[in-house]
């Protein structure tokens, strides 16, 4: 029941990451704003989620993963109510920022708790179920959002969170056990500030090109250098760069970056490619991407059982090989007009992108002390978001379908190379 309670709390985060995107036009219309302005509803969420992940993990390590997980649920609940009742853009934006911070507190601390309460031999299977839950949430988000907006309004996309979060909080209070915490250091506030400024500037450059200028690039460069040098000097850093000396940790973070880059590249590329000459309707494209997301969900769960059979390295290598083959088949979609072929190709891509994720997540924690599980999970989540951000940048450059597909093939091939770095259990 503890695992179910944790999964219920985390399930709401990916739903809100994808559900809101389908309601942007509705929000813009109701608030009489342009789409370029209303995209800040997504941008602020991305900034806070990206910046806060390592910080949230560190806070959990210091003050207790269960406690911070519960705080995250409460923040997400309150923020959802604020967004639901918002009658102006500023209120909605504040609500989304708090919602993102709550989500950032939930995810890495949920991962850390799963490590504490799960026997080592069952950890990969547990992360398979965790990956299935998260992917399923992302998959049903757009469909659920469209249904709620069609039947009621965009306010309903936030209202639906409330009963789920209340049940999640009560279940976590009842079933998730306390874990003894030994507070060994203070929170790295200077490092956290440098990290937040640098990463926020990067996300702004990526998502809001109107704000991009030389000053912002200088902030990124100076901030990144200052952050790394400061973190290497202090005793209890926000991000312990010594973790990257561990092969499994380093390979796991690079793998999830590449994996998520391909996944979001697909989600962003397909609507642009397939709707341009009206070969498929938006409904057909949405259904095909739902097939893609469901395949990721199912094979994330199945992948949790693979490692015990063929080993970690082979599981992740197999995942990237399948992904590479699927990316090569994307070139067929440039001229393909068969709906069946589209579904088959995206389903195979979903297999590759889902089946290796549980092993990647388990590998990111396998060589890390349990006391650092939160910060390690936060770093892993950040690399996941970086992969998504890279995909967004590449799509925004409008390189053309063939070039973008070639990039996705390269990502998958690099993933095969990276998978060779994993050590078996």
């Amino acid at each position: 029941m503890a695992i179910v309670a944790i999964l219920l709390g985390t399930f709401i985060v990916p739903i809100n990451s994808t559900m809101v995107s389908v309601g942007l036009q509705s929000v813009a219309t109701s608030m009489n704003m342009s789409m370029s302005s209303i995209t800040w509803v997504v941008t602020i969420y991305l900034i806070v989620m990206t910046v806060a992940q390592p910080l949230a993990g560190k806070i959990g390590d210091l003050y207790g993963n269960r406690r911070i997980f519960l705080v995250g649920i409460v923040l997400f609940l309150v923020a959802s109510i604020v967004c639901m009742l918002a009658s102006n853009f500023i209120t909605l934006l504040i609500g989304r920022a708090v919602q993102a911070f709550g989500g950032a507190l939930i995810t890495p601390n949920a991962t850390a708790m799963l490590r504490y309460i799960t026997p080592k031999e069952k950890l990969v299977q547990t992360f398979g179920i965790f990956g299935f839950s998260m992917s399923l949430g992302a998959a049903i988000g757009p469909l659920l959002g469209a249904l709620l907006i069609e039947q009621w309004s965009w306010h309903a996309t936030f209202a639906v969170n409330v009963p789920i979060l209340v049940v999640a909080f009560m279940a976590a209070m009842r079933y998730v056990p306390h874990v003894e915490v030994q507070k060994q250091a203070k929170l790295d506030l200077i490092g956290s500030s440098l990290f937040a400024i640098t990463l926020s500037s990067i996300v702004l450059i990526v998502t809001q090109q109107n704000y991009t200028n030389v000053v912002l690039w200088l902030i990124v460069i100076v901030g990144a250098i200052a952050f790394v040098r400061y973190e290497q000097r202090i005793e209890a850093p926000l991000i312990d760069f010594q973790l990257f000396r561990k092969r499994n940790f380093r390979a796991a973070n690079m793998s999830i970056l590449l994996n998520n880059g391909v996944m979001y590249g697909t989600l962003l590329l397909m609507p642009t490619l397939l709707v341009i000459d009206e070969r498929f309707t938006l409904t057909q494209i949405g259904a095909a991407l739902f097939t893609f997301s469901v395949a990721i969900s199912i094979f994330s769960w199945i992948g949790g059982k693979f490692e015990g059979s063929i080993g970690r390295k082979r599981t992740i290598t197999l995942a990237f090989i399948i992904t590479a083959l699927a990316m090569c088949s994307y070139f067929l979609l440039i001229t393909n007009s068969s709906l069946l072929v589209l579904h088959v190709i995206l389903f195979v891509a979903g297999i590759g992108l889902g089946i290796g994720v549980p092993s990647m997540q388990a590998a990111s924690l396998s060589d890390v002390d349990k006391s650092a599980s939160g910060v390690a999970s936060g770093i892993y989540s950040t690399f996941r978001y970086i992969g998504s951000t890279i995909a967004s940048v590449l799509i925004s450059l409008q390189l053309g379908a063939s070039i973008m597909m070639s990039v996705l093939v390269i990502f998958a091939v690099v993933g095969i190379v990276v998978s060779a770095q994993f050590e078996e259990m």
Side-chain angles (χ1 to χ4, degrees), residues 122-257:
K122 294 184 178 180
L123 190 60
V124 179
Q125 290 92 329
T126 300
F127 280 137
I129 298 171
F130 179 76
F132 171 78
S133 171
M134 296 289 279
S135 299
L136 186 63
I140 69 173
L143 293 176
L144 179 61
L147 177 64
L148 291 170
I149 292 169
E150 185 178 295
Q151 294 297 318
W152 291 283
S153 72
W154 63 264
H155 297 275
T157 61
F158 298 105
V160 73
N161 295 332
V162 176
I164 298 174
L165 288 165
V166 169
V167 173
F169 181 83
M170 294 172 65
M173 286 287 290
R174 174 68 177 84
Y175 295 109
V176 177
H178 290 273
V179 176
E180 206 53 46
V181 178
Q182 293 183 347
K183 188 175 174 184
Q184 298 176 342
K186 295 181 179 179
L187 189 63
D188 174 18
L189 294 178
I190 296 178
S192 299
S193 300
L194 289 170
F195 183 79
I197 291 169
T198 304
L199 223 55
S200 297
S201 300
I202 292 173
V203 176
L204 276 175
I205 289 171
V206 170
T207 60
Q208 300 288 334
Q209 296 182 359
N210 292 337
Y211 292 85
T212 302
N213 52 47
V214 176
V215 174
L216 204 56
W217 278 107
L218 283 175
I219 291 174
V220 170
I221 295 169
V222 174
I225 294 172
F227 173 70
V228 173
R229 295 192 65 177
Y230 179 78
E231 293 294 285
Q232 289 175 334
R233 292 202 315 265
I234 64 172
E235 184 178 347
L238 173 67
I239 295 179
D240 184 0
F241 287 98
Q242 296 299 315
L243 291 174
F244 289 94
R245 294 180 180 271
K246 303 178 186 296
R247 283 178 59 181
N248 282 332
F249 182 81
R250 185 172 64 246
N253 282 282
M254 282 304 302
S255 294
I256 198 61
L257 183 153

Side-chain angles (χ1 to χ4, degrees), residues 4-21:
V4 173
I6 292 170
L7 293 179
L8 187 60
T10 56
F11 182 66
I12 203 72
V13 178
I15 287 180
N16 279 265
S17 183
T18 58
M19 180 169 58
V20 173
S21 61

Side-chain angles (χ1 to χ4, degrees), residues 287-331:
L289 289 177
F290 181 70
T291 296
F292 172 71
S293 299
V294 168
I296 294 174
S297 303
I298 293 172
F299 283 88
S300 291
W301 173 61
I302 293 174
K305 301 179 180 181
F306 256 65
E307 184 172 309
S309 302
I310 64 175
R312 173 182 296 158
K313 183 186 293 188
R314 289 179 181 176
T315 298
I316 298 173
T317 302
L318 175 64
F320 278 116
I321 289 173
I322 295 172
T323 300
L325 293 173
M327 294 307 104
C328 290
S329 69
Y330 276 12
F331 288 95

